[in-house]
Amino acid sequence: MPPIRAASPDAIAEAAACLRSGGLVAFPTETVYGLGADATDDRAVAHIFAAKGRPHFNPLIAHFADADTAAAEVVFDARADRLAAEVWPGPLTLVLPRRRDCRISLLCSAGLETQAVRVPDQPVAQELLRAVGRPVAAPSANRSGRISPTSATDVAADLGDTVDLILDGGACRVGIESSILDLSGRHPRLLRPGGLSLERLSELLGEAPEFAEPGGAVTSPGMLESHYAPDKPLRLEVDDPQPDEGLLAFGAEVPAGAAATLNLSPTGDTTEAAANLFAYLRRLDAAPVRALAAMPIPDIGLGLAIRDRLRRASAPRSA
Ligand code: TXA
Ligand code: MG
Protein backbone atom coordinates (compact mmCIF):
# COMPACT_ATOMS: atom_id res chain seq x y z
CA MET A 1 0.00 0.00 0.00
CA PRO A 2 1.22 3.53 -0.72
CA PRO A 3 1.88 5.81 2.24
CA ILE A 4 -1.08 7.93 3.28
CA ARG A 5 0.34 11.11 4.79
CA ALA A 6 -1.64 13.72 6.70
CA ALA A 7 -1.26 16.92 4.69
CA SER A 8 1.32 18.73 6.84
CA PRO A 9 3.66 21.34 5.27
CA ASP A 10 6.38 18.64 5.20
CA ALA A 11 4.15 16.12 3.47
CA ILE A 12 3.06 18.73 0.92
CA ALA A 13 6.71 19.62 0.20
CA GLU A 14 7.49 15.93 -0.25
CA ALA A 15 4.49 15.50 -2.55
CA ALA A 16 5.57 18.50 -4.63
CA ALA A 17 9.09 17.09 -4.99
CA CYS A 18 7.64 13.72 -5.98
CA LEU A 19 5.49 15.35 -8.68
CA ARG A 20 8.40 17.40 -9.98
CA SER A 21 10.45 14.26 -10.40
CA GLY A 22 7.76 12.46 -12.38
CA GLY A 23 5.89 10.64 -9.59
CA LEU A 24 2.18 10.13 -9.00
CA VAL A 25 0.53 11.80 -6.01
CA ALA A 26 -3.11 11.53 -5.00
CA PHE A 27 -4.34 14.76 -3.43
CA PRO A 28 -7.60 16.21 -2.11
CA THR A 29 -9.65 18.79 -3.96
CA GLU A 30 -13.01 20.26 -2.91
CA THR A 31 -14.76 17.95 -5.41
CA VAL A 32 -13.05 14.52 -5.27
CA TYR A 33 -9.47 13.25 -4.79
CA GLY A 34 -7.27 13.63 -7.87
CA LEU A 35 -4.47 11.38 -9.12
CA GLY A 36 -1.83 13.96 -9.97
CA ALA A 37 1.19 14.04 -12.24
CA ASP A 38 3.32 16.83 -13.70
CA ALA A 39 1.20 17.82 -16.71
CA THR A 40 4.28 18.91 -18.66
CA ASP A 41 5.93 15.48 -18.36
CA ASP A 42 4.71 12.98 -21.01
CA ARG A 43 5.97 9.96 -19.12
CA ALA A 44 4.39 11.01 -15.84
CA VAL A 45 1.07 11.65 -17.59
CA ALA A 46 1.24 8.25 -19.28
CA HIS A 47 1.68 6.70 -15.83
CA ILE A 48 -1.71 8.13 -14.82
CA PHE A 49 -3.45 6.13 -17.53
CA ALA A 50 -1.61 2.97 -16.49
CA ALA A 51 -2.44 3.47 -12.79
CA LYS A 52 -6.13 4.08 -13.50
CA GLY A 53 -6.35 1.16 -15.89
CA ARG A 54 -7.89 3.54 -18.39
CA PRO A 55 -8.52 1.71 -21.64
CA HIS A 56 -8.17 4.83 -23.75
CA PHE A 57 -6.22 8.01 -23.51
CA ASN A 58 -9.12 10.08 -22.20
CA PRO A 59 -8.21 13.74 -21.97
CA LEU A 60 -7.22 15.02 -18.53
CA ILE A 61 -7.87 18.21 -16.59
CA ALA A 62 -4.82 20.36 -15.79
CA HIS A 63 -4.96 21.95 -12.34
CA PHE A 64 -3.55 25.36 -11.45
CA ALA A 65 -3.19 27.48 -8.33
CA ASP A 66 -4.81 30.47 -10.06
CA ALA A 67 -6.31 31.72 -13.31
CA ASP A 68 -3.17 33.61 -14.36
CA THR A 69 -1.03 30.48 -14.52
CA ALA A 70 -3.81 28.70 -16.44
CA ALA A 71 -3.98 31.58 -18.92
CA ALA A 72 -0.32 30.93 -19.83
CA GLU A 73 -1.34 27.58 -21.35
CA VAL A 74 -4.82 28.07 -22.85
CA VAL A 75 -6.67 30.94 -24.54
CA PHE A 76 -9.29 32.67 -22.38
CA ASP A 77 -12.08 34.61 -24.06
CA ALA A 78 -14.37 37.12 -22.32
CA ARG A 79 -16.73 34.37 -21.14
CA ALA A 80 -13.88 32.35 -19.66
CA ASP A 81 -12.42 35.45 -17.97
CA ARG A 82 -15.74 36.20 -16.35
CA LEU A 83 -16.36 32.65 -15.16
CA ALA A 84 -12.83 32.33 -13.82
CA ALA A 85 -13.17 35.61 -11.93
CA GLU A 86 -16.52 34.60 -10.43
CA VAL A 87 -16.05 30.90 -9.74
CA TRP A 88 -12.35 30.10 -9.32
CA PRO A 89 -11.10 28.70 -7.13
CA GLY A 90 -14.11 26.40 -7.41
CA PRO A 91 -15.78 23.33 -8.92
CA LEU A 92 -15.80 24.40 -12.58
CA THR A 93 -13.57 23.06 -15.38
CA LEU A 94 -13.20 25.07 -18.58
CA VAL A 95 -12.34 23.45 -21.91
CA LEU A 96 -10.38 26.04 -23.91
CA PRO A 97 -8.12 26.12 -26.97
CA ARG A 98 -4.47 25.26 -26.29
CA ARG A 99 -2.01 28.08 -26.77
CA ARG A 100 0.53 27.50 -29.48
CA ASP A 101 3.27 27.46 -26.83
CA CYS A 102 1.22 25.37 -24.37
CA ARG A 103 3.60 23.28 -22.23
CA ILE A 104 1.00 20.72 -21.23
CA SER A 105 1.60 17.21 -22.57
CA LEU A 106 -0.45 16.44 -25.69
CA LEU A 107 -1.51 13.26 -23.89
CA CYS A 108 -3.65 15.47 -21.62
CA SER A 109 -5.57 16.67 -24.66
CA ALA A 110 -5.80 13.17 -26.14
CA GLY A 111 -5.69 14.41 -29.70
CA LEU A 112 -8.12 17.30 -29.18
CA GLU A 113 -7.08 20.90 -29.79
CA THR A 114 -8.45 21.90 -26.43
CA GLN A 115 -7.21 21.56 -22.88
CA ALA A 116 -9.41 21.32 -19.79
CA VAL A 117 -8.26 23.58 -16.93
CA ARG A 118 -9.40 24.15 -13.39
CA VAL A 119 -8.40 25.92 -10.15
CA PRO A 120 -9.46 23.84 -7.14
CA ASP A 121 -10.80 25.41 -3.95
CA GLN A 122 -9.03 23.30 -1.34
CA PRO A 123 -6.16 24.58 0.83
CA VAL A 124 -3.99 21.43 0.46
CA ALA A 125 -4.46 21.43 -3.31
CA GLN A 126 -3.66 25.14 -3.44
CA GLU A 127 -0.45 24.73 -1.42
CA LEU A 128 0.60 21.73 -3.44
CA LEU A 129 0.01 23.44 -6.80
CA ARG A 130 1.99 26.49 -5.69
CA ALA A 131 4.84 24.32 -4.48
CA VAL A 132 4.95 22.32 -7.73
CA GLY A 133 4.91 25.48 -9.85
CA ARG A 134 3.72 23.55 -12.90
CA PRO A 135 0.28 22.47 -14.11
CA VAL A 136 -0.78 19.19 -12.52
CA ALA A 137 -2.82 16.73 -14.58
CA ALA A 138 -5.31 14.87 -12.43
CA PRO A 139 -8.27 12.64 -13.14
CA SER A 140 -10.33 11.41 -10.23
CA ALA A 141 -8.16 9.01 -8.21
CA ASN A 142 -10.20 5.87 -8.83
CA ARG A 143 -9.71 2.95 -11.16
CA SER A 144 -11.32 3.59 -14.53
CA GLY A 145 -15.10 3.29 -14.49
CA ARG A 146 -15.37 3.14 -10.70
CA ILE A 147 -16.84 5.47 -8.10
CA SER A 148 -14.80 8.63 -7.51
CA PRO A 149 -12.97 8.81 -4.16
CA THR A 150 -13.93 11.41 -1.56
CA SER A 151 -11.43 10.34 1.12
CA ALA A 152 -7.80 9.21 1.28
CA THR A 153 -8.83 5.69 2.31
CA ASP A 154 -11.11 5.44 -0.76
CA VAL A 155 -8.06 6.21 -2.90
CA ALA A 156 -5.89 3.62 -1.15
CA ALA A 157 -8.59 0.96 -1.51
CA ASP A 158 -8.92 1.60 -5.24
CA LEU A 159 -5.43 2.40 -6.49
CA GLY A 160 -3.32 0.35 -4.08
CA ASP A 161 0.39 0.76 -4.62
CA THR A 162 0.24 2.29 -8.09
CA VAL A 163 0.64 5.76 -6.54
CA ASP A 164 3.75 7.05 -4.78
CA LEU A 165 1.99 9.07 -2.10
CA ILE A 166 -1.54 9.88 -0.95
CA LEU A 167 -2.01 13.26 0.72
CA ASP A 168 -4.82 13.07 3.26
CA GLY A 169 -6.77 16.32 3.46
CA GLY A 170 -9.94 14.84 4.94
CA ALA A 171 -13.32 14.41 3.26
CA CYS A 172 -14.09 16.39 0.10
CA ARG A 173 -16.44 19.28 0.80
CA VAL A 174 -18.40 19.21 -2.49
CA GLY A 175 -18.09 15.46 -3.04
CA ILE A 176 -19.02 15.38 -6.73
CA GLU A 177 -16.74 16.19 -9.67
CA SER A 178 -16.47 19.64 -11.23
CA SER A 179 -18.91 20.86 -13.85
CA ILE A 180 -17.19 20.81 -17.26
CA LEU A 181 -17.98 23.63 -19.65
CA ASP A 182 -16.66 23.61 -23.21
CA LEU A 183 -15.98 27.17 -24.35
CA SER A 184 -14.03 26.25 -27.48
CA GLY A 185 -17.05 26.82 -29.74
CA ARG A 186 -19.45 29.67 -30.29
CA HIS A 187 -22.00 28.35 -27.81
CA PRO A 188 -21.02 27.17 -24.35
CA ARG A 189 -21.60 23.43 -23.94
CA LEU A 190 -22.00 21.61 -20.65
CA LEU A 191 -20.02 18.37 -21.03
CA ARG A 192 -20.63 17.17 -17.48
CA PRO A 193 -22.97 18.55 -14.81
CA GLY A 194 -21.07 18.81 -11.54
CA GLY A 195 -20.30 20.78 -8.42
CA LEU A 196 -21.38 24.14 -9.83
CA SER A 197 -25.15 24.17 -10.36
CA LEU A 198 -26.60 24.71 -13.83
CA GLU A 199 -28.68 27.56 -12.42
CA ARG A 200 -25.55 29.43 -11.27
CA LEU A 201 -23.67 28.65 -14.47
CA SER A 202 -26.53 29.95 -16.65
CA GLU A 203 -26.77 33.08 -14.54
CA LEU A 204 -23.04 33.75 -14.95
CA LEU A 205 -23.09 33.03 -18.69
CA GLY A 206 -26.24 35.05 -19.27
CA GLU A 207 -27.62 32.04 -21.19
CA ALA A 208 -28.22 28.36 -20.60
CA PRO A 209 -25.38 26.26 -22.01
CA GLU A 210 -26.13 23.58 -24.57
CA PHE A 211 -25.98 20.05 -23.24
CA ALA A 212 -23.56 17.52 -24.64
CA GLU A 213 -25.70 14.65 -25.80
CA PRO A 214 -25.30 11.60 -23.59
CA GLY A 215 -24.27 8.66 -25.74
CA GLY A 216 -23.63 11.04 -28.63
CA ALA A 217 -20.23 11.81 -30.09
CA VAL A 218 -17.81 11.31 -27.21
CA THR A 219 -16.11 14.67 -26.88
CA SER A 220 -15.80 14.01 -23.16
CA PRO A 221 -15.22 10.37 -22.37
CA GLY A 222 -16.59 10.99 -18.89
CA MET A 223 -19.84 10.86 -20.84
CA LEU A 224 -19.44 7.10 -21.37
CA GLU A 225 -22.62 5.42 -20.23
CA SER A 226 -21.30 2.90 -17.73
CA HIS A 227 -19.23 4.92 -15.30
CA TYR A 228 -19.10 5.44 -11.55
CA ALA A 229 -20.04 1.80 -11.27
CA PRO A 230 -20.57 0.06 -7.94
CA ASP A 231 -20.07 -3.73 -7.94
CA LYS A 232 -23.77 -4.35 -7.33
CA PRO A 233 -26.64 -3.49 -9.67
CA LEU A 234 -28.41 -0.20 -8.96
CA ARG A 235 -32.12 0.52 -9.47
CA LEU A 236 -33.33 4.13 -9.80
CA GLU A 237 -36.45 6.14 -8.87
CA VAL A 238 -37.34 3.57 -6.23
CA ASP A 239 -40.28 3.95 -3.86
CA ASP A 240 -40.63 0.24 -3.04
CA PRO A 241 -37.27 -0.96 -1.70
CA GLN A 242 -36.89 -4.74 -1.43
CA PRO A 243 -35.66 -6.65 1.64
CA ASP A 244 -32.40 -7.57 -0.11
CA GLU A 245 -31.63 -4.01 -1.27
CA GLY A 246 -29.54 -1.21 0.21
CA LEU A 247 -31.47 2.05 -0.15
CA LEU A 248 -29.93 5.41 -0.98
CA ALA A 249 -32.62 7.66 0.45
CA PHE A 250 -33.34 11.36 -0.02
CA GLY A 251 -35.64 13.64 1.95
CA ALA A 252 -37.85 13.26 4.99
CA GLU A 253 -40.18 10.53 3.76
CA VAL A 254 -38.29 7.30 3.41
CA PRO A 255 -40.10 4.09 2.44
CA ALA A 256 -39.50 1.13 4.75
CA GLY A 257 -38.47 -2.35 3.72
CA ALA A 258 -34.81 -2.09 2.65
CA ALA A 259 -32.10 -4.20 4.27
CA ALA A 260 -30.07 -1.05 4.92
CA THR A 261 -30.74 2.64 4.35
CA LEU A 262 -28.44 5.64 4.10
CA ASN A 263 -30.08 9.03 3.70
CA LEU A 264 -28.18 11.44 1.41
CA SER A 265 -30.02 14.39 2.93
CA PRO A 266 -32.94 14.02 5.36
CA THR A 267 -33.78 17.70 4.78
CA GLY A 268 -33.83 17.29 1.00
CA ASP A 269 -30.78 19.48 0.35
CA THR A 270 -29.08 18.53 -2.96
CA THR A 271 -25.75 20.12 -1.94
CA GLU A 272 -25.58 17.95 1.18
CA ALA A 273 -26.66 14.94 -0.89
CA ALA A 274 -23.86 15.50 -3.42
CA ALA A 275 -21.29 15.59 -0.62
CA ASN A 276 -22.52 12.21 0.67
CA LEU A 277 -23.22 10.51 -2.67
CA PHE A 278 -20.02 8.61 -3.47
CA ALA A 279 -19.21 7.69 0.15
CA TYR A 280 -22.72 6.29 0.67
CA LEU A 281 -22.64 4.40 -2.64
CA ARG A 282 -19.40 2.77 -1.51
CA ARG A 283 -20.81 1.94 1.94
CA LEU A 284 -23.98 0.37 0.56
CA ASP A 285 -21.96 -1.51 -2.08
CA ALA A 286 -19.90 -3.03 0.76
CA ALA A 287 -22.96 -3.81 2.92
CA PRO A 288 -24.48 -7.33 2.98
CA VAL A 289 -27.17 -6.55 0.39
CA ARG A 290 -27.81 -8.08 -3.04
CA ALA A 291 -28.46 -4.82 -4.88
CA LEU A 292 -28.69 -1.06 -4.49
CA ALA A 293 -31.72 1.16 -4.93
CA ALA A 294 -31.97 4.94 -5.05
CA MET A 295 -34.95 7.17 -4.35
CA PRO A 296 -35.84 9.93 -6.84
CA ILE A 297 -33.66 13.06 -6.66
CA PRO A 298 -35.00 16.42 -7.89
CA ASP A 299 -32.97 18.01 -10.70
CA ILE A 300 -32.49 21.34 -8.96
CA GLY A 301 -29.10 22.62 -7.75
CA LEU A 302 -26.59 19.76 -7.56
CA GLY A 303 -29.46 17.29 -8.11
CA LEU A 304 -28.73 17.38 -11.84
CA ALA A 305 -25.18 16.12 -11.28
CA ILE A 306 -26.35 13.51 -8.75
CA ARG A 307 -28.96 12.18 -11.22
CA ASP A 308 -26.29 12.06 -13.93
CA ARG A 309 -23.92 9.98 -11.74
CA LEU A 310 -26.70 7.67 -10.55
CA ARG A 311 -27.87 7.08 -14.12
CA ARG A 312 -24.34 6.11 -15.15
CA ALA A 313 -23.88 3.97 -12.03
CA SER A 314 -27.05 2.06 -13.01
CA ALA A 315 -26.22 1.74 -16.72
CA PRO A 316 -25.58 -1.69 -18.21
CA ARG A 317 -21.87 -2.46 -17.90
CA SER A 318 -19.70 -2.63 -20.93
CA ALA A 319 -17.30 -5.54 -20.67
O1 TXA B 1 -13.63 17.50 -10.03
C1 TXA B 1 -12.93 17.10 -10.95
O2 TXA B 1 -13.06 17.51 -12.11
C2 TXA B 1 -11.89 16.01 -10.62
C3 TXA B 1 -10.83 16.64 -9.72
C4 TXA B 1 -9.71 15.70 -9.40
O3 TXA B 1 -10.36 17.84 -10.31
N1 TXA B 1 -11.30 15.49 -11.82
C5 TXA B 1 -11.98 14.68 -12.66
O4 TXA B 1 -11.22 14.21 -13.73
O5 TXA B 1 -13.15 14.36 -12.50
P1 TXA B 1 -11.67 13.01 -14.65
O6 TXA B 1 -10.53 12.73 -15.55
O7 TXA B 1 -12.14 11.88 -13.81
O8 TXA B 1 -12.84 13.61 -15.47
C6 TXA B 1 -12.56 14.67 -16.34
C7 TXA B 1 -13.43 14.65 -17.53
C8 TXA B 1 -13.25 13.39 -18.36
O9 TXA B 1 -14.51 12.86 -18.61
C9 TXA B 1 -12.62 13.88 -19.63
O10 TXA B 1 -13.02 13.16 -20.73
C10 TXA B 1 -13.08 15.32 -19.68
O11 TXA B 1 -13.07 15.74 -18.36
N2 TXA B 1 -12.15 16.17 -20.43
C11 TXA B 1 -10.88 16.45 -20.11
N3 TXA B 1 -10.29 17.20 -21.05
C12 TXA B 1 -11.22 17.42 -21.99
C13 TXA B 1 -11.23 18.13 -23.22
N4 TXA B 1 -10.14 18.74 -23.68
N5 TXA B 1 -12.36 18.12 -23.94
C14 TXA B 1 -13.46 17.49 -23.48
N6 TXA B 1 -13.50 16.80 -22.33
C15 TXA B 1 -12.41 16.76 -21.60
MG1 MG C 1 -13.31 10.32 -13.17
Side-chain angles (χ1 to χ4, degrees):
M1 291 290 268
I4 297 186
R5 298 271 313 268
S8 63
D10 274 0
I12 292 173
E14 189 189 317
C18 179
L19 285 169
R20 290 178 66 93
S21 61
L24 293 186
V25 172
F27 65 98
T29 80
E30 81 280 30
T31 58
V32 300
Y33 275 70
L35 175 60
D38 176 352
T40 66
D41 178 340
D42 294 321
R43 261 188 79 234
V45 174
H47 278 150
I48 290 180
F49 294 105
K52 279 191 65 100
R54 267 202 176 172
H56 316 292
F57 285 161
N58 289 358
L60 299 175
I61 301 170
H63 296 69
F64 299 84
D66 51 51
D68 285 347
T69 45
E73 313 295 341
V74 291
V75 183
F76 280 62
D77 62 11
R79 300 168 301 184
D81 279 339
R82 179 175 160 75
L83 287 170
E86 293 286 341
V87 180
W88 283 353
L92 173 67
T93 293
L94 297 177
V95 172
L96 296 169
R98 292 172 67 98
R99 279 193 183 283
R100 211 190 307 268
D101 59 352
C102 179
R103 296 173 302 158
I104 298 171
S105 166
L106 285 166
L107 269 182
C108 287
S109 294
L112 304 169
E113 279 164 19
T114 54
Q115 175 60 51
V117 295
R118 134 169 158 81
V119 175
D121 182 18
Q122 210 281 359
V124 176
Q126 280 283 328
E127 273 180 59
L128 178 67
L129 290 165
R130 284 187 202 290
V132 175
R134 296 177 194 159
V136 171
S140 50
N142 51 281
R143 285 192 68 77
S144 186
R146 312 286 301 183
I147 300 167
S148 293
T150 53
S151 73
T153 49
D154 288 350
V155 177
D158 228 36
L159 289 178
D161 47 17
T162 55
V163 297
D164 296 305
L165 179 65
I166 300 173
L167 275 182
D168 187 350
C172 300
R173 177 172 56 78
V174 175
I176 201 159
E177 301 88 342
S178 61
S179 303
I180 304 181
L181 188 71
D182 183 352
L183 289 177
S184 65
R186 195 141 62 90
H187 296 289
R189 276 203 320 149
L190 188 65
L191 301 183
R192 177 177 74 184
L196 185 70
S197 74
L198 179 62
E199 293 91 326
R200 178 82 178 119
L201 199 51
S202 303
E203 180 189 315
L204 291 170
L205 282 167
E207 63 177 311
E210 291 171 358
F211 278 68
E213 223 176 293
V218 179
T219 46
S220 181
M223 306 295 293
L224 291 176
E225 275 300 316
S226 173
H227 213 76
Y228 309 98
D231 286 329
K232 292 171 183 161
L234 168 64
R235 209 158 62 87
L236 301 184
E237 310 286 334
V238 167
D239 56 11
D240 61 340
Q242 301 299 300
D244 59 356
E245 285 180 328
L247 180 68
L248 208 51
F250 179 84
E253 281 167 37
V254 179
T261 297
L262 290 175
N263 198 332
L264 291 169
S265 173
T267 59
D269 173 355
T270 54
T271 301
E272 181 187 28
N276 290 326
L277 178 67
F278 291 141
Y280 285 9
L281 267 176
R282 279 175 188 261
R283 271 167 63 186
L284 285 178
D285 205 21
V289 296
R290 180 195 55 82
L292 313 185
M295 287 178 63
I297 310 282
D299 64 2
I300 49 170
L302 298 196
L304 188 67
I306 297 172
R307 290 172 60 91
D308 171 81
R309 304 305 187 272
L310 286 175
R311 191 173 53 72
R312 292 171 204 282
S314 71
R317 311 292 155 77
S318 44

